[in-house]
Structure formats: structure tokens, C-alpha cells
């Protein structure tokens, strides 16, 4: 009793000594509903998304672990405490797939994870585009989001859960952020929308769409591909995904309310005073409006005119206000330029190049540009120019995926892939030409998604589509879809139908700069580069006349209403039909007349025992064939080979080479169970090597088949090289193709005639059959008695 009183007294003293402990305890037990930093979010499909925190990486500003099934992703968020005085948000997202998370070992030489793969880069971009729009404009601190795979099962992909993990980590941290966001993957199986489908369900799904949304059903990011999905089905999927994302948002908000850190205060950005802003506005407004109303400007002349106005304005304002920072004056001019550009669009419904809101730029197309190419196309839309080429190669050239990527995507290799190149001269700049960056990988992957549904699954060749952007002023990835579709048809690939792509933009106006209350907006069809830079959305939509094959929406404001998204989809469909009409005027169907440069394939069937002669020792014949003719010979099964030739002429040369290689004198037809005279050509410890006819390769007659008695060496029977013996023929081994011969079975009463194939018969000498048959008497052991 006394001991308990003393303990109570000590606890009271501790509470008085540390009053904040008492406050924390009171808050923990009285005001919060969650007792542990973990929340389960049940989705409409019955699957549970579990979000937890507080166990791992506690030195990070924020950390969350998101689990679904047996897949678990840990995401950390860290931001520096001091700003680097940059003019943008220096946000870096790293997404790494760990082989250990899948119970695998990397297959590279070092057996460890090396540089980021294409899948990792695309997943990192997915996370980046989902969270970036919700950072405050004044937040310009170095920030890093790291997505770490803890465990990966064979059913649930981790990329969407990485978005939810980043959202939870930022919400729980002290980093200023206007989240949370929720993300789900939406599938479509038998016209039924499925949320977060498994890999098996995705194999049956006509749609793979990732939807990221924030409160009030505002869409933040869209990314997906479809197997020619109808627009109405896509709208239904977006609505369903946005609704399901609210469940995840509610779960993160509960976690944030209970265990989130208070947000750090931000230092206000340095700005110029109202007097200088008024001077910038006075000196530049009329000139800017004249520039944006001059429809004769192209990309470079417009940029040069704005740049000249910027330098003149900064010089004049700085001469009047010498104490002001020229950098801040330049930033004030940039903000005002963006304001003027957007206000003119909202007021006049006329764009800076003279087009209406729904008008397309001038489009021109051409195909079959160079004779050696298997397929080629040039697509010009305004000042965006893309040159696409198609290369057809053997199936062995298919793109092999690493084991973890195969586990994630369900594919081991791809026989159709697209490579996208964006050199610096496409924008009139200088730069390093080398390994492609994250932007190029993202644009190429989007264009590939837009074309995969129209390429047939069963095709005798591996198809590599290369896109080279020669000029760029908006939507080069969608121009790649248009040019790539025509190049495939020019290469004779039996595509189901043509595909085209277009970019849709958005200009918004909010009440009192409150992004929750949209006052006015304009949707722009066929986006220009400057409209992308000044606008609030870049939605790229690719598809055919029957439906959509790919979609990607990058939104720069903290979410847009579903109404605007649906209207943008309608605008994209109308524009896509116009583009397809122009493309059909150039090439409307796959080419049927063969080109001389097209590769060809054929099939070679041989007997199993002829395989060693065809391949040669160590495959020397196959290598020589490739070096001399460029033809690849690939074995399909025991008796058939696939021949791939880069041209028809190479195929003829290869067939001539193979005919000469396999050309031999006529082989006699051996009869199963017949007795033949064999000649010993070599003695071995295991038996004797014999031939039945002169051109025959020696075959082994094993000791076990020489005599009914067990012998250790053929010399025990008095056999010598050149000795002729009788053997019985039992066909060929079905696996090795070797002859099966036996002398042992003949050591008994004679049962059949002895066939001597080593000497020509009278009939063969007279021009008859080349298979000689002679009858000789035998002794009791079955040995032939020479006449």
C-alpha cells in the first residue's frame, strides 16, 4: 500500500516537473480516436489499404508505409530547413524497385541494384505529378521523396500505393503541403469498373488507369492506357476512381489529425513593392498585348519580342528604382506576362497564333521517305515535326525485361517498343546528346501506350519504332503517335486501325485566387508550347475512331472539377477525328505491296539425326551463315528451325548455303528388323565403330550388343578393323538420332536374309536402285559366310 502511494506521488511530481507531458497524455487519450498510427481503408471491392507510420525512418520529416495484400511500400519525405532562393520547387522523387522485396537477386554482374530502370523512372514521375501541384507557391525548399519497396507480392502493383505513401508522408510531416491526395488504379473487365485490380484481373482488363484526386472530387493527375476504350467507359472509370480516392483521403486525414506534426512556417518570398509592380505593368502591358495579338509571330519571333520587352522594362524600371533587385523586377515581369496572356484568352477567346479555342494547327503528313527503311513517316503540326522509322527484326531482338519488372508488369519481353528522342536542336538550343533523360522516357512511354493496342499480338518480327523530334512547339509525344501509326502502316504491319493523339490545355480563373472556387475557364485544343507554360493543364489523349488508347493529364493547379475533365475529353475526341481524316488522306491502310528492304522468314524442317551436321561443331555453321549472309537460324524444336533474313536476296543466298551444306548422296532406306553387313572401322574400349554403307558416319556398336557373353574389349572376340560382321537394325534413337544396332540378337538360328549395303548389286550397276540386297548362307553364330 505504501509502495503504491509513493509511486503515485512520484508520478504527480513528474507531471508538475514536465507539464507538457501531461498535456500530451491528455490529448492522446481524450481528444484522439486513433490509438496507434495506423488506419485501414476499405475500398468498394473489399480490398483493404493499410496506412501506418511511426515505426520506420523516424529521422525523416515524414514517413508512411502503405500496404495492400502482401505488397508494402515505405515512403519518406525530407525537406531542407532553408530555402536555396530558387525560382521553382526543387522536388526530387526517387522510386526504387528492390529485388530483395520480391525474393530475387539482381541478374547483373555485381548482383545489386544499379541505376534506375525505365519502370522506376515512370513510377517516380507518377508520384511527382500527383503531389507537386499541392505545394504552396512560396515553398521553394529542396525536397526529396524516396519510395522504398519493402515487399512485393505477385498480385498487387506497388506504384499506386507509392502515391498514397507520399501523400501520407507529406501530410504527417511538418512540410507545408495542401494535401492529402488519394490514388487508385481503375480496371475495366466486362464493362465493370474494378478498383485496384490484381495482376490477373489486369490481364483481362481493357483499361489501366491511375487516378489521383484531392478533396471535393478534384482531379490532380490521370495516367492510363486502354485497349480502344469508349469515351463513355473512360468517363465512368474516372468518376469511380475519383470517388474511391476520397476514401483514402479520409483515412490519411484521420491519421494526420491524430499524429501529424504541425506545419513549419514559411518565409515570405521577396517581392517588389506595389509602386514597382505598377511601373512594370505600365511599361509593358500595351507591348505585351500587341505581341500576343500579332498572329504572324511564330515560336522564336514571339519569344524574342517578349524577351526584348522584358529587358527594356527591367532597364527602365531599374533606372528609376535603382535600389530594387533586377532579379525581383524580372520575376514581377514574368508574373505579369502570364497574367496578361491568360486574361487575353479569357476575354477574347482568341489564341496568340490566331486560332480559335477548338482549332487545330496546319497538319501535313508524308510516308515512305527513304528506300532502305522498312517504314517511315513525317508528321508536321504547326511547328512540331516528328520523324518516325520502323525497323523489323528477328524475334530474338525482343526487349527483355528484368525479373522484378516482369513480376510487376506480367511481361517477360516486348516484341513492340518505341524509342523517343528529343535532341536539343528541336528547340533551337545547344546541349549534350547522350543518354535520354526522364522526360524523354516518359514521353516515349506515353506514345508507346497509344500505339500498343493497334499492333497485332502475333507478329513474325520484333518491331522497333523510333521517334525523332526535329521541331518542338507543343505535344511532340502526341505527334509521335500520329507519325508512328503511319510509319507502321508504311512498314506493312497489319495494324487494326490508325491512331492519333492531341494535347488539350486549360486556362482557369478562381475567385480571390482560391483554388476551391472555379469562376471561369477556357479549354484549348492542340496546345502550343507557350500555352502549356502559361496554362494550368496539359492533357494528352491518344486513340482511334473507336476509342481511347492512352491518356495522361498533368495538372498544375490543386485539382480541377470532373466537369472540366469530361469536357476536355469531348474536345480531344473531336480533334482526334479531324486529325485521323488528314492522316487517312496520306495512308489509310497498311501497305500490301512488298518493299525490297523488308525482312522475310521461312521454316526449315530436317531429320533429328541431321541436326549435328546442320549446326556444325559448336554452332560454327550457324555463325558462318550469319556472318556471310546476315541470316539468323533459330531452333524451334527437335526437327524445325526458323530462318530470318533481312531481305529476299539474303534469304535466297541462305537457302543456297543450306542446300549445299546438307547436300549428300542418297541414303539407303534401312528396314526395321533387317540384318545388314557392317564393316568395323575403329575399335574402342566401349565397342566398335561400324558403317553399313560407304558414306555413312560411323556409329557405335556397344560391347553389350556384340556378344551374348559379357566382354571387356572387342579384341576378346578377335574383331579387327576391316572385319565384316552382321548386325540387326532397330531404327534410330528418337532423341539422339543415332542408329540402334545389335550383333548379340543374331547369335542363334538364322531368321532373315542378310543385307549387304557396302557392295552394289547387279541391279544398281544396271541403273536400278542404289540399295543392294544379297543373300548369303550363315553359320550357326549368325556370321555371314563369304562366297
Amino acid at each position: 500500500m505504501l509502495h503504491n502511494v509513493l509511486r503515485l506521488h512520484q508520478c504527480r511530481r513528474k507531471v508538475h516537473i514536465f507539464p507538457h507531458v501531461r498535456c500530451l497524455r491528455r490529448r492522446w487519450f481524450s481528444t484522439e480516436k486513433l490509438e496507434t498510427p495506423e488506419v485501414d481503408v476499405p475500398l468498394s471491392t473489399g480490398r483493404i489499404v493499410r496506412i501506418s507510420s511511426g515505426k520506420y525512418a523516424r529521422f525523416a520529416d515524414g514517413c508512411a508505409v502503405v500496404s495492400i495484400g502482401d505488397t508494402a511500400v515505405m515512403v519518406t519525405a525530407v525537406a531542407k530547413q532553408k530555402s536555396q532562393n530558387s525560382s521553382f520547387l526543387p522536388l526530387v522523387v526517387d522510386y526504387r524497385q528492390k529485388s530483395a522485396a520480391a525474393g530475387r537477386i539482381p541478374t547483373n554482374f555485381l548482383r545489386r541494384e544499379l541505376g534506375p530502370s525505365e519502370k522506376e523512372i515512370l513510377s517516380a514521375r507518377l508520384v511527382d505529378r500527383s503531389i507537386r501541384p499541392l505545394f504552396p507557391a512560396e515553398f521553394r525548399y529542396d525536397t526529396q521523396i524516396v519510395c522504398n519497396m519493402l515487399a512485393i507480392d505477385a498480385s498487387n502493383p506497388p506504384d499506386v500505393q507509392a502515391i498514397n505513401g507520399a501523400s501520407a508522408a507529406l501530410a504527417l510531416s511538418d512540410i507545408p503541403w495542401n494535401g492529402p491526395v488519394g490514388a487508385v488504379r481503375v480496371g475495366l473487365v466486362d464493362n465493370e469498373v474494378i478498383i485496384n485490380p490484381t495482376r490477373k484481373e489486369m490481364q483481362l482488363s481493357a483499361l489501366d488507369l491511375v487516378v489521383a484526386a484531392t478533396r471535393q472530387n478534384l482531379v490532380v493527375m490521370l495516367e492510363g492506357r486502354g485497349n480502344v476504350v469508349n469515351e463513355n467507359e473512360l468517363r465512368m472509370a474516372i468518376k469511380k476512381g475519383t470517388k474511391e480516392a476520397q476514401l483514402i483521403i479520409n483515412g490519411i486525414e484521420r491519421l494526420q489529425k491524430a499524429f501529424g506534426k504541425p506545419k513549419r512556417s514559411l518565409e515570405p518570398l521577396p517581392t517588389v513593392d506595389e509602386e514597382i509592380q505598377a511601373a512594370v505593368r505600365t511599361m509593358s502591358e500595351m507591348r505585351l498585348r500587341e505581341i500576343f495579338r500579332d498572329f504572324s509571330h511564330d515560336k522564336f519571333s514571339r519569344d524574342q519580342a517578349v524577351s526584348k520587352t522584358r529587358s527594356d522594362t527591367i532597364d527602365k524600371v531599374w533606372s528609376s528604382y535603382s535600389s530594387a533587385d533586377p532579379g525581383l523586377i524580372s520575376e514581377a515581369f514574368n508574373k505579369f506576362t502570364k497574367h496578361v496572356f491568360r486574361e487575353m484568352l479569357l476575354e477574347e477567346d482568341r489564341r496568340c497564333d490566331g486560332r480559335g479555342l477548338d482549332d487545330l494547327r496546319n497538319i501535313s503528313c508524308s510516308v515512305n521517305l527513304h528506300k532502305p527503311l522498312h517504314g517511315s513517316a513525317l508528321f508536321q503540326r504547326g511547328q512540331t515535326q516528328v520523324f518516325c522509322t520502323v525497323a523489323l527484326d528477328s524475334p530474338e531482338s525482343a526487349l527483355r525485361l528484368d525479373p522484378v519488372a516482369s513480376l510487376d508488369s506480367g511481361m517477360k519481353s516486348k516484341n513492340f517498343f518505341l524509342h523517343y528522342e528529343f535532341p536539343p536542336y528541336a528547340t533551337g538550343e545547344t546541349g549534350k546528346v547522350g543518354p535520354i533523360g526522364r522526360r524523354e522516357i516518359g514521353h516515349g512511354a506515353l506514345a508507346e501506350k497509344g500505339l500498343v493496342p493497334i499492333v497485332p499480338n502475333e507478329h513474325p518480327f520484333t518491331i522497333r519504332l523510333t521517334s525523332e523530334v526535329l521541331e518542338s512547339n507543343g505535344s511532340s509525344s502526341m505527334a509521335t503517335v500520329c507519325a508512328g501509326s503511319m510509319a507502321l502502316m508504311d512498314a506493312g504491319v497489319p495494324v487494326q486501325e490508325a491512331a492519333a493523339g492531341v494535347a488539350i490545355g486549360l486556362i482557369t480563373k478562381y475567385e480571390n485566387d482560391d483554388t476551391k472556387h472555379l469562376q471561369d475557364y477556357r479549354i484549348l485544343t492542340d496546345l502550343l508550347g507557350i500555352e502549356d507554360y502559361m496554362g494550368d493543364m496539359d492533357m494528352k489523349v491518344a486513340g482511334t475512331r473507336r476509342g481511347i488508347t492512352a491518356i495522361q493529364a498533368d495538372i498544375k493547379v490543386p485539382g480541377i472539377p470532373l466537369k472540366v475533365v469530361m469536357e476536355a475529353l469531348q474536345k480531344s475526341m473531336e480533334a482526334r477525328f479531324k486529325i485521323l481524316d488528314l492522316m487517312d488522306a496520306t495512308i489509310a491502310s497498311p501497305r500490301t505491296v512488298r518493299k525490297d528492304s523488308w525482312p522475310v522468314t521461312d521454316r526449315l524442317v530436317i531429320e533429328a539425326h541431321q541436326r549435328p551436321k546442320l549446326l556444325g561443331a559448336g554452332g560454327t555453321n550457324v555463325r558462318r551463315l550469319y556472318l556471310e549472309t546476315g541470316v539468323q537460324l533459330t531452333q524451334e524444336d527437335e526437327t524445325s528451325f526458323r530462318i530470318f533474313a533481312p531481305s529476299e536476296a539474303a534469304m535466297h543466298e541462305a537457302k543456297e548455303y543450306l542446300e549445299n551444306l546438307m547436300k549428300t548422296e542418297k541414303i539407303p532406306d534401312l528396314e526395321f528388323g533387317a540384318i545388314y553387313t557392317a564393316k568395323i572401322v575403329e575399335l574402342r574400349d566401349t565397342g566398335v565403330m561400324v558403317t553399313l554403307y560407304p558414306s555413312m558416319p560411323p556409329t557405335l556398336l556397344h560391347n553389350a550388343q556384340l556378344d551374348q557373353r559379357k566382354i571387356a574389349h572387342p579384341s576378346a572376340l578377335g574383331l579387327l578393323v576391316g572385319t565384316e560382321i552382321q548386325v540387326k537394325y532397330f531404327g534410330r534413337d528418337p532423341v539422339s538420332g543415332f542408329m540402334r544396332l545389335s550383333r548379340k540378337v543374331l547369335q542363334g538360328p538364322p531368321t532373315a536374309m542378310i543385307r549387304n549395303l557396302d557392295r552394289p548389286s547387279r541391279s544398281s550397276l544396271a541403273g536400278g536402285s542404289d540399295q543392294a540386297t544379297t543373300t548369303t548362307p550363315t553359320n550357326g553364330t549368325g556370321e555371314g559366310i563369304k562366297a
Side-chain angles (χ1 to χ4, degrees):
M1 181 70 179
L2 180 61
H3 177 69
N4 292 336
V5 171
L6 290 175
R7 288 190 61 187
L8 179 62
H9 179 67
Q10 290 174 357
C11 291
R12 288 177 177 176
R13 289 188 60 188
K14 288 180 180 178
V15 168
H16 288 289
I17 294 173
F18 303 104
H20 63 281
V21 174
R22 179 179 57 184
C23 296
L24 286 176
R25 291 177 63 188
R26 181 183 298 122
R27 176 188 175 191
W28 184 283
F29 290 105
S30 62
T31 62
E32 304 301 332
K33 297 180 180 179
L34 295 177
E35 296 182 359
T36 58
E38 182 177 283
V39 62
D40 289 345
V41 180
L43 302 178
S44 62
T45 55
R47 297 187 175 96
I48 303 295
V49 177
R50 175 167 296 175
I51 306 173
S52 61
S53 181
K55 183 177 181 180
Y56 302 121
R58 286 172 289 187
F59 283 171
D61 292 334
C63 177
V65 177
V66 180
S67 304
I68 180 170
D70 291 329
T71 295
V73 184
M74 183 186 75
V75 184
T76 58
V78 177
K80 289 186 176 180
Q81 297 291 333
K82 293 185 179 180
S83 174
Q84 301 297 320
N85 295 324
S86 60
S87 58
F88 61 93
L89 170 62
L91 173 65
V92 176
V93 177
D94 290 315
Y95 178 100
R96 300 306 304 272
Q97 286 181 329
K98 301 297 180 66
S99 297
R104 305 290 181 89
I105 297 176
T107 56
N108 57 66
F109 179 76
L110 297 176
R111 298 296 187 269
R112 65 183 303 163
E113 284 80 7
L114 301 178
S117 64
E118 181 174 323
K119 171 63 178 176
E120 291 171 321
I121 291 174
L122 295 176
S123 299
R125 285 171 56 87
L126 206 65
V127 176
D128 186 298
R129 290 161 38 220
S130 301
I131 63 176
R132 186 181 289 271
L134 281 83
F135 281 95
E138 60 273 15
F139 183 78
R140 297 179 181 178
Y141 299 77
D142 283 339
T143 306
Q144 184 179 30
I145 307 295
V146 179
C147 307
N148 186 10
M149 305 299 108
L150 299 182
I152 304 175
D153 62 17
S155 299
N156 300 283
D159 51 358
V160 173
Q161 307 314 321
I163 301 176
N164 295 324
S167 174
L170 288 169
L172 292 168
S173 71
D174 62 343
I175 301 173
W177 190 60
N178 299 321
V181 299
V184 295
R185 172 172 267 108
V186 184
L188 188 65
V189 180
D190 297 332
N191 296 326
E192 180 182 354
V193 175
I194 301 177
I195 301 299
N196 283 357
T198 62
R199 287 187 179 88
K200 287 186 178 180
E201 291 172 337
M202 284 305 304
Q203 293 175 358
L204 305 174
S205 176
L207 179 67
D208 180 6
L209 178 67
V210 177
V211 180
T214 185
R215 304 181 189 91
Q216 300 176 345
N217 292 327
L218 299 179
V219 178
V220 177
M221 192 276 301
L222 295 173
E223 173 84 29
R225 59 176 177 83
N227 189 13
V228 193
V229 176
N230 184 273
E231 272 77 5
N232 293 330
E233 294 175 334
L234 180 63
R235 292 188 181 98
M236 177 177 63
I238 294 175
K239 291 179 181 178
K240 182 67 173 177
T242 305
K243 181 179 178 181
E244 290 288 324
Q246 304 304 308
L247 302 176
I248 297 176
I249 292 170
N250 294 335
I252 296 176
E253 286 180 339
R254 289 177 57 202
L255 204 61
Q256 179 185 13
K257 185 177 179 181
F259 304 100
K261 301 176 184 177
K263 299 298 182 182
R264 68 180 72 165
S265 58
L266 291 176
E267 298 178 1
L269 295 176
T271 57
V272 294
D273 54 29
E274 289 291 336
E275 188 177 356
I276 296 178
Q277 292 182 16
V280 170
R281 182 166 53 251
T282 301
M283 294 181 184
S284 61
E285 183 171 9
M286 293 303 297
R287 294 180 63 179
L288 289 174
R289 289 184 176 272
E290 289 177 3
I291 293 171
F292 295 142
R293 286 197 184 102
D294 187 355
F295 305 145
S296 63
H297 279 307
D298 61 6
K299 172 182 172 65
F300 291 104
S301 62
R302 187 182 300 109
D303 290 348
Q304 290 172 358
V306 172
S307 179
K308 188 175 186 304
T309 303
R310 177 189 292 106
S311 59
D312 292 345
T313 301
I314 293 174
D315 291 342
K316 291 179 181 178
V317 172
W318 192 48
S319 63
S320 302
Y321 302 92
S322 57
S323 60
D325 185 359
L328 295 179
I329 299 175
S330 176
E331 190 170 346
F333 174 84
N334 293 338
K335 290 182 179 179
F336 182 68
T337 301
K338 186 175 182 179
H339 171 76
V340 170
F341 185 88
R342 296 164 64 92
E343 283 296 323
M344 290 181 63
L345 264 171
L346 292 169
E347 293 170 0
E348 303 175 7
D349 289 344
R350 181 66 56 181
R351 299 157 77 170
C352 61
D353 59 354
R355 287 184 294 155
L357 300 180
D358 300 333
D359 295 340
L360 298 171
R361 291 174 285 175
N362 294 328
I363 294 176
S364 61
C365 312
S366 56
V367 296
N368 197 20
L369 301 174
H370 299 281
K371 186 176 179 180
L373 300 178
H374 297 162
S376 59
L378 182 70
F379 182 83
Q380 182 91 40
R381 178 161 50 192
Q383 287 185 296
T384 297
Q385 185 184 75
V386 174
F387 176 59
C388 280
T389 59
V390 172
L392 306 175
D393 211 328
S394 65
E396 285 68 34
S397 301
L399 182 63
R400 312 292 179 184
L401 302 180
D402 61 89
V404 180
S406 300
L407 182 66
D408 191 5
S409 62
M411 294 189 304
K412 293 183 178 180
S413 63
K414 296 196 299 185
N415 66 344
F416 169 72
F417 49 93
L418 185 148
H419 288 160
Y420 173 95
E421 300 176 5
F422 194 98
Y425 61 75
T427 54
E429 300 173 353
T430 61
K432 184 178 180 181
V433 178
I436 60 174
R438 297 194 170 204
R439 178 181 178 276
E440 286 79 5
I441 290 177
H443 285 199
L446 175 62
E448 182 178 310
K449 290 177 183 177
L451 292 172
V452 164
I454 69 171
V455 179
N457 294 327
E458 298 297 331
H459 197 268
F461 304 116
T462 295
I463 306 170
R464 182 192 185 222
L465 179 61
T466 304
S467 170
E468 301 177 49
V469 181
L470 308 182
E471 301 173 7
S472 178
N473 187 17
S475 187
S476 58
S477 61
M478 293 297 97
T480 295
V481 175
C482 301
S485 175
M486 293 188 295
L488 288 171
M489 289 191 286
D490 183 55
V493 178
V495 298
Q496 300 174 5
E497 53 185 325
V502 67
I504 305 296
L506 178 68
I507 301 293
T508 59
K509 183 177 182 181
Y510 293 91
E511 296 179 3
N512 301 322
D513 293 332
D514 185 1
T515 55
K516 295 181 181 179
H517 302 286
L518 183 62
Q519 182 178 358
D520 198 5
Y521 65 92
R522 296 290 184 274
I523 295 177
L524 312 177
T525 301
D526 189 11
L527 207 58
L528 276 177
I530 189 173
E531 293 170 342
D532 182 12
Y533 177 74
M534 301 285 190
D536 299 323
M537 182 184 73
D538 179 12
M539 177 186 285
K540 302 180 178 71
V541 185
T544 67
R545 295 186 187 276
R546 294 188 295 117
I548 289 174
T549 57
I551 181 173
Q552 183 184 93
D554 294 333
I555 299 169
K556 302 175 186 178
V557 294
I560 59 175
L562 283 171
K563 173 189 173 183
V564 179
V565 175
M566 303 308 165
E567 189 175 343
L569 287 175
Q570 180 65 27
K571 299 288 185 183
S572 71
M573 182 182 67
E574 297 171 357
R576 192 170 70 248
F577 288 173
K578 296 177 183 177
I579 298 170
L580 288 170
D581 290 338
L582 297 172
M583 291 168 55
D584 288 345
T586 302
I587 181 169
S589 61
R591 182 184 296 275
T592 56
V593 179
R594 286 190 53 83
K595 293 184 179 181
D596 294 337
S597 60
W598 282 359
V600 291
T601 60
D602 204 346
R603 197 162 177 262
L604 174 65
V605 179
I606 61 173
E607 296 293 334
H609 67 275
Q610 294 178 305
R611 188 169 62 242
K613 185 170 185 178
L614 174 65
L615 300 178
T620 55
N621 293 339
V622 176
R623 289 197 296 269
R624 183 180 302 168
L625 176 67
Y626 178 74
L627 293 174
E628 293 182 1
T629 65
V631 174
Q632 299 181 25
L633 193 67
T634 305
Q635 184 172 351
E636 292 181 336
D637 52 39
E638 294 294 331
T639 60
S640 62
F641 290 78
R642 184 179 61 252
I643 309 174
F644 171 84
S647 64
E648 192 75 39
M651 178 62 78
H652 291 318
E653 186 178 355
K655 285 187 175 181
E656 184 178 352
Y657 174 87
L658 293 174
E659 287 177 2
N660 293 331
L661 182 66
M662 302 302 295
K663 188 176 182 181
T664 59
E665 62 185 59
K666 185 176 175 78
I667 301 175
D669 294 330
L670 303 180
E671 181 181 347
F672 188 93
I675 301 173
Y676 295 94
T677 298
K679 183 177 181 180
I680 299 175
V681 296
E682 183 183 353
L683 296 180
R684 294 185 178 181
D685 293 339
T686 57
V688 293
M689 301 295 293
V690 299
T691 59
L692 303 184
Y693 50 89
S695 61
M696 171 185 165
T699 187
L700 177 67
L701 181 58
H702 198 272
N703 287 337
Q705 298 298 330
L706 279 175
D707 197 89
Q708 292 183 352
R709 296 165 296 176
K710 184 177 180 181
I711 62 172
H713 194 273
S715 60
L717 299 176
L719 299 178
L720 301 173
V721 174
T723 303
E724 291 184 345
I725 59 176
Q726 270 65 54
V727 296
K728 195 168 186 178
Y729 175 71
F730 292 100
R732 291 182 178 271
D733 187 278
V735 177
S736 64
F738 295 150
M739 287 185 181
R740 295 183 295 189
L741 305 174
S742 176
R743 178 175 176 266
K744 177 176 67 175
V745 299
L746 298 178
Q747 293 178 339
T751 58
M753 293 186 299
I754 301 172
R755 317 292 175 90
N756 192 339
L757 301 175
D758 197 15
R759 304 187 191 94
S761 65
R762 291 193 183 103
S763 60
S764 66
L765 292 176
S769 172
D770 61 347
Q771 177 172 319
T773 304
T774 60
T775 305
T776 59
T778 61
N779 57 20
T781 62
E783 297 290 344
I785 302 175
K786 294 185 180 179

